[in-house]
């Protein structure tokens, strides 16, 4: 079982304040201890205010590596691109000076792009200082989707990234081809920040925490991992 600390907030503003302060502290400590800091970022509305706050801070951005947790296999100009989201929130203002490593490359498919993406991610310092994860109502995290083509490999391999082809659903939308961090990569983190909002997702998280088939709710693989240090952030 992972080490799990649950932080419940009365509002999203309180969650953002705590998350922002913690991210700043960990990035500063990473640079102090190792010369560089690595921040793994997810898309979504929950981390967006913290990203925007960070982008205005006087951090040593030239020594901060920002890399994607997962990405749809679409160009950065696409409105569903996580890279575009990170560019418009974190990599603005002073944060624009960070070294950004994206997942999407010129390969025709995510599967064909794995080797190039893996090579890029292998250059990053490990353990990563912070990995930010979200969670879907289907129990997925990163792009580790239930019963997806590539899920079993993503949970078992020692590689840092893998290609995923999810089963189309209301959660995935029509773009099911993804690149994602593997379970092993998530475990290469000093801390994982799992961001959850609303009562519905809280119930999903609790269901995942109770155990069951990992293929049904891949978040279970993270929650059950013996070495991962997780901080759960929840707000209504």
């Amino acid at each position: 079982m992972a080490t799990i600390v649950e932080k419940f907030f009365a509002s999203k503003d309180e969650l953002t304040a705590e998350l922002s302060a913690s991210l700043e502290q960990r990035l500063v400590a990473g640079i102090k201890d190792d010369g560089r800091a690595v921040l793994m970022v997810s898309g979504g509305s929950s981390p967006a205010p913290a990203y925007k706050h960070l982008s205005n801070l006087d951090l040593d951005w030239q020594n901060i590596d920002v890399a994607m947790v997962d990405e749809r296999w679409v160009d950065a100009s696409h409105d569903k691109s996580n890279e575009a989201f990170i560019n418009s929130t974190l990599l603005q203002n002073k944060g624009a000076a960070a070294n950004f490593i994206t997942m999407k490359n010129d390969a025709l498919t995510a599967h064909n792009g794995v080797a190039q993406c893996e090579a890029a991610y292998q250059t990053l310092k490990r353990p990563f200082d912070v990995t930010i994860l979200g969670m879907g109502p289907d129990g997925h995290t990163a792009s580790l989707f239930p019963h997806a083509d590539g899920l079993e490999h993503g949970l078992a391999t020692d590689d840092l990234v893998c290609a995923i082809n999810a089963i189309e659903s209301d959660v995935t939308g029509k773009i099911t081809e993804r690149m994602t961090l593997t379970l092993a990569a998530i475990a290469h983190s000093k801390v994982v920040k799992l961001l959850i909002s609303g009562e519905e997702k809280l119930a999903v998280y609790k269901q995942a925490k109770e155990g069951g088939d990992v293929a049904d709710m891949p978040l279970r693989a993270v929650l059950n991992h013996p070495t991962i240090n997780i901080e759960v952030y929840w707000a209504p």
Side-chain angles (χ1 to χ4, degrees):
M1 189 76 174
T3 301
I4 302 174
V5 176
E6 296 174 339
K7 301 184 177 185
F8 288 66
F9 300 91
S11 69
K12 290 181 180 178
D13 286 345
E14 290 183 15
L15 183 154
T16 293
E18 169 72 18
L19 178 62
S20 299
S22 179
L23 292 178
E24 178 183 4
Q25 180 183 39
R26 287 185 174 275
L27 292 175
V28 170
I31 294 170
K32 181 181 178 181
D33 294 344
D34 306 317
R36 295 196 71 80
V38 177
L39 174 61
M40 291 289 178
V41 291
S42 292
S45 59
S46 293
Y51 293 160
K52 291 176 181 177
H53 174 81
L54 281 178
S55 77
N56 288 296
L57 297 182
D58 286 316
L59 299 175
D60 185 8
W61 286 104
Q62 291 185 344
N63 285 313
I64 295 175
D65 297 307
V66 175
M68 303 299 306
V69 164
D70 65 327
E71 182 60 283
R72 299 173 181 88
W73 206 249
V74 296
D75 291 334
S77 59
H78 196 284
D79 63 355
K80 296 295 186 182
S81 166
N82 282 338
E83 178 179 344
F85 170 79
I86 297 301
N87 275 321
S88 66
T89 53
L90 180 60
L91 302 177
Q92 294 285 311
N93 308 309
K94 294 168 183 175
N99 176 47
F100 181 52
I101 296 181
T102 185
M103 285 185 149
K104 178 65 171 68
N105 53 50
D106 293 334
L108 188 61
T109 67
H111 181 77
N112 290 341
V114 166
Q116 183 179 337
C117 186
E118 178 73 19
Y121 274 61
Q122 286 288 345
T123 67
L124 293 166
K125 177 196 84 171
R126 282 175 300 207
F128 313 133
D129 291 283
V130 186
T131 295
I132 297 176
L133 294 181
M135 182 204 74
D138 59 352
H140 85 267
T141 192
S143 276
L144 299 169
F145 283 91
H147 303 284
D149 182 15
L151 174 63
E152 187 174 348
H153 175 70
L155 297 179
T157 182
D158 290 331
D159 292 343
L160 298 178
V161 303
C162 72
I164 287 284
N165 199 342
I167 299 169
E168 185 175 339
S169 68
D170 291 342
V171 178
T172 64
K174 292 188 178 299
I175 304 171
T176 58
E177 189 179 0
R178 314 281 185 106
M179 189 79 77
T180 185
L181 290 185
T182 63
L183 179 62
I186 294 170
H188 280 300
S189 307
K190 294 178 182 177
V191 67
V192 170
K193 307 275 191 180
L194 177 61
L195 309 185
I196 304 170
S197 62
E199 294 295 338
E200 179 187 0
K201 285 193 176 182
L202 180 60
V204 173
Y205 162 71
K206 289 180 176 178
Q207 182 183 353
K209 191 178 176 185
E210 288 172 359
D213 190 343
V214 168
D216 289 339
M217 301 181 78
L219 178 65
R220 288 172 174 150
V222 178
L223 299 178
N224 293 337
H225 196 282
T227 67
I228 295 179
N229 174 29
I230 305 173
E231 294 179 359
V232 179
Y233 285 62
W234 177 86

